[in-house]
Amino acid sequence: MNEPHLIVLFGATGDLARRKLLPGMLHLLQSGLVPDSRIIGVSMDDFDDESFREFAHLACKEFSPRPMRSEQWEAFAPKLSYVNVKDGADALAQVAAKLEADLGGSPRRLHYLSVPPKSALDVVHTLDAAKLVERSRIIMEKPFGTDLASAKSLNAEIHEVFDEQQIFRIDHFLGKEAALNILAFRFANGLFEPIWNRNFIDHVQIDVPETLSLAGRSGFYEGTGAFKDMVVTHLFQVLAFMAMEPPTSLDSDSISEEKNKVFRSMLPLDPHFVVRGQYQGYRDEPGVAADSETDTFVALKAEIDNWRWAGVPFYLRTGKKLAEGARIISIAFREPPKSMFPTGSGVGLAGPDHLTFDLADASKMSLSFYGKRPGPGMRLDKLSMQFAMQETERAGEVLEAYERLIYDAMRGERTLFTTAEGIERLWEISEPLLNDTPPVRPYQQGTWGPNAIHQLIAPKAWRLPFERSWRKPNTNAE
């Protein structure tokens, strides 16, 4: 990629920009991964170029995951400019024209909409009025609609300005190194792909508990909830990577098509297999109604009705104020049909064999299985083989999730982004749940959710909490 870019960042003084986007853009430019670029921050704060640079400097110092040297900042700061939203499209167009002239006249354009969903269409029309649609790509944050009708309406209105190939609907979960490792693990190795089907896999769990509360965000969450905020936009996307057929190639169109085939094969969600919860104390948050039925927790069973996965349940769970924070995909393999091991040997006591992907920042994988305990007799223990990204010599080359997604969008690489067809299909299969929502069940903060989650998955068991911890890198300790 050698084309210079004009990057227009809407919501440039917001929390996401401060924590992830500005430090990420600094790193991409300093690393040489992207060519020369200029960045226009657009927001409602009463800044000028200099005060915006001061804001960005503090953000990069505080949140950059890598040390920032003074010469790096001195090279980055002049690339930052600022436009106040109230100055309108004409002011944006004038600043853009000046910066594009500095870059040679006709650079590519990348627009990042780090704004609330209700503001997205206003930004789209501002870009149209500023004549910044040509040669551009646009990154949009979740949630993308709140149901099928709103998603279709939003797509239709955006498509009046931007072609589908210009639109990049972001999911930062898929920007993780470990998410891409799923593709490598499945399709580059002859060991696992032959058993990646209903004949060998008993069930799959995708588990994303969070310890965060909704303090300060309850106003946004009241109109959204855990299902709309997390399941449609994150967990279903991870499910597609797990379940898709081998693509004809690794180009983004082929992978997007296989993901969409998974979504087309998913059965509509059955409200009887959905548990909604709300942590105790949520209704005391500012802006929350005393009788709020907003879900801060959801667990459900999803099914994919195709030849590979028919009869294999996918259990999804996510929520706020839970016991631990994690991002786990766990594949449970079928147990042997018969055991020749004697009673008391330990076989079966620790459940089935599991392949586990940890999608957290410290990317890890684990394969658990039974093995003989050293010594006399035939006692079996659950053992595991583990891999951690930090143990590789290239661990320092890992990109942060938002860095990878910005980089991919600048290249036009759509593998980790969602299509209009995909997002509309996910809202379509969600309609039975949205039209007949189960009641929210209270759960105590610091637990794993309402007790009904155990009936949802019975006679199986949730993989989290783990009975044993990940081994520390370069040690043999459990």
Side-chain angles (χ1 to χ4, degrees):
M1 182 173 60
N2 53 18
E3 295 176 285
H5 272 70
L6 174 69
I7 301 171
V8 185
L9 173 57
F10 290 87
T13 60
D15 195 57
L16 178 61
R18 191 167 62 97
R19 291 174 177 272
K20 296 293 185 182
L21 303 181
L22 290 168
M25 290 174 184
L26 168 66
H27 177 245
L28 288 173
L29 282 163
Q30 293 296 328
S31 66
L33 284 171
V34 303
D36 193 17
S37 300
R38 298 292 184 271
I39 300 165
I40 303 176
V42 183
S43 191
M44 300 177 69
D45 287 278
D46 192 19
F47 284 173
D48 57 17
D49 289 355
E50 204 55 46
S51 52
F52 177 57
R53 289 167 187 167
E54 291 175 12
F55 171 87
H57 188 209
L58 291 173
C60 292
K61 278 177 64 177
E62 185 174 358
F63 294 108
S64 176
R66 308 165 186 89
M68 183 181 69
R69 300 190 304 274
S70 59
E71 60 268 23
Q72 290 178 315
W73 173 252
E74 289 166 6
F76 181 64
K79 302 179 187 298
L80 299 172
S81 301
Y82 186 78
V83 171
N84 195 307
V85 169
K86 67 183 180 184
D87 293 333
D90 289 343
L92 177 60
Q94 290 175 14
V95 175
K98 177 180 181 299
L99 297 178
E100 290 189 347
D102 293 344
L103 290 169
S106 300
R108 288 214 64 95
R109 297 160 174 163
L110 181 71
H111 308 306
Y112 197 119
L113 275 58
S114 178
V115 298
K118 62 183 179 181
S119 304
L121 286 175
D122 290 339
V123 173
V124 167
H125 294 307
T126 296
L127 290 169
D128 191 21
K131 295 183 169 48
L132 293 176
V133 175
E134 187 182 356
R135 308 189 309 275
S136 73
R137 300 183 179 109
I138 180 171
I139 297 178
M140 304 193 71
E141 279 283 344
K142 59 127 181 133
F144 203 84
T146 56
D147 54 21
L148 179 59
S150 62
K152 283 186 172 181
S153 175
L154 183 57
N155 279 328
E157 191 161 349
I158 293 172
H159 286 157
E160 292 176 3
V161 179
F162 290 93
D163 294 336
E164 177 63 22
Q165 288 298 311
Q166 294 177 281
I167 304 168
F168 290 73
R169 300 170 187 82
I170 198 166
D171 174 15
H172 69 268
F173 270 44
L174 293 188
K176 303 285 184 183
E177 193 76 25
L180 290 171
N181 232 340
I182 297 171
L183 295 183
F185 192 86
R186 284 190 59 189
F187 302 130
N189 300 296
L191 179 61
F192 285 99
E193 183 57 24
I195 61 173
W196 209 266
N197 56 57
R198 60 187 174 84
N199 296 320
F200 298 93
I201 292 177
D202 180 75
H203 68 278
V204 177
Q205 295 180 33
I206 300 174
D207 212 346
V208 186
E210 297 181 296
T211 58
L212 300 173
S213 76
L214 288 162
R217 297 180 58 221
S218 51
F220 156 74
Y221 224 72
E222 271 294 272
T224 309
F227 177 78
K228 294 178 180 179
D229 181 49
M230 292 291 293
V231 176
V232 176
T233 51
H234 289 326
L235 274 65
F236 280 159
Q237 305 299 326
V238 174
L239 180 150
F241 263 58
M242 243 296 302
M244 72 185 201
E245 296 296 321
T248 54
S249 71
L250 276 180
D251 68 84
S252 53
D253 287 343
S254 298
I255 291 176
S256 292
E257 175 58 20
E258 296 305 332
K259 286 169 59 183
N260 285 341
K261 285 180 183 177
V262 173
F263 299 147
R264 290 177 211 139
S265 300
M266 290 177 68
L267 296 176
L269 297 178
D270 185 341
H272 293 97
F273 296 103
V274 178
V275 176
R276 298 170 68 238
Q278 185 184 94
Y279 68 77
Q280 293 174 350
Y282 172 75
R283 293 178 181 179
D284 298 328
E285 302 280 6
V288 177
D291 57 351
S292 172
E293 291 290 302
T294 298
D295 49 274
T296 64
F297 172 97
V298 65
L300 59 87
K301 181 175 79 169
E303 296 181 277
I304 302 171
D305 191 23
N306 62 18
W307 278 39
R308 184 182 289 264
W309 296 113
V312 177
F314 286 72
Y315 296 102
L316 282 56
R317 175 173 64 170
T318 186
K320 309 295 184 184
K321 293 302 289 184
L322 297 179
E324 294 177 21
R327 295 167 185 171
I328 296 292
I329 304 174
S330 192
I331 297 105
F333 292 98
R334 293 192 183 279
E335 299 188 61
K338 195 165 180 62
S339 174
M340 76 287 291
F341 295 95
T343 302
S345 65
V347 68
L349 288 181
D353 300 339
H354 282 86
L355 175 64
T356 302
F357 293 89
D358 186 339
L359 300 189
D361 293 332
S363 172
K364 292 175 284 215
M365 290 187 295
S366 170
L367 177 64
S368 67
F369 51 89
Y370 288 98
K372 182 184 177 300
R373 180 185 297 178
M378 182 56 79
R379 283 287 296 173
L380 302 180
D381 286 329
K382 206 62 178 290
L383 308 174
S384 69
M385 293 189 296
Q386 298 184 4
F387 160 79
M389 183 64 69
Q390 303 98 311
E391 296 177 349
T392 70
E393 61 183 19
R394 294 184 177 273
E397 299 178 19
V398 173
L399 289 177
E400 293 276 298
Y402 281 98
E403 293 172 357
R404 178 185 302 282
L405 293 166
I406 292 169
Y407 175 61
D408 282 356
M410 292 175 81
R411 295 189 300 145
E413 170 56 59
R414 305 177 59 83
T415 298
L416 301 178
F417 297 87
T418 308
T419 65
E421 177 192 341
I423 201 71
E424 288 178 13
R425 172 58 184 165
L426 290 175
W427 284 121
E428 183 180 0
I429 68 168
S430 301
E431 282 206 303
L433 173 61
L434 299 179
N435 293 333
D436 183 20
T437 54
V440 292
R441 301 167 184 260
Y443 63 95
Q444 290 186 350
Q445 299 183 28
T447 65
W448 288 97
N451 288 332
I453 62 172
H454 302 297
Q455 286 79 52
L456 172 69
I457 201 171
K460 305 170 178 65
W462 289 101
R463 183 78 167 134
L464 285 176
F466 287 136
E467 293 182 1
R468 55 212 256 206
S469 60
W470 292 93
R471 284 194 288 271
K472 295 178 181 179
N474 301 318
T475 75
N476 294 320
E478 282 289 319

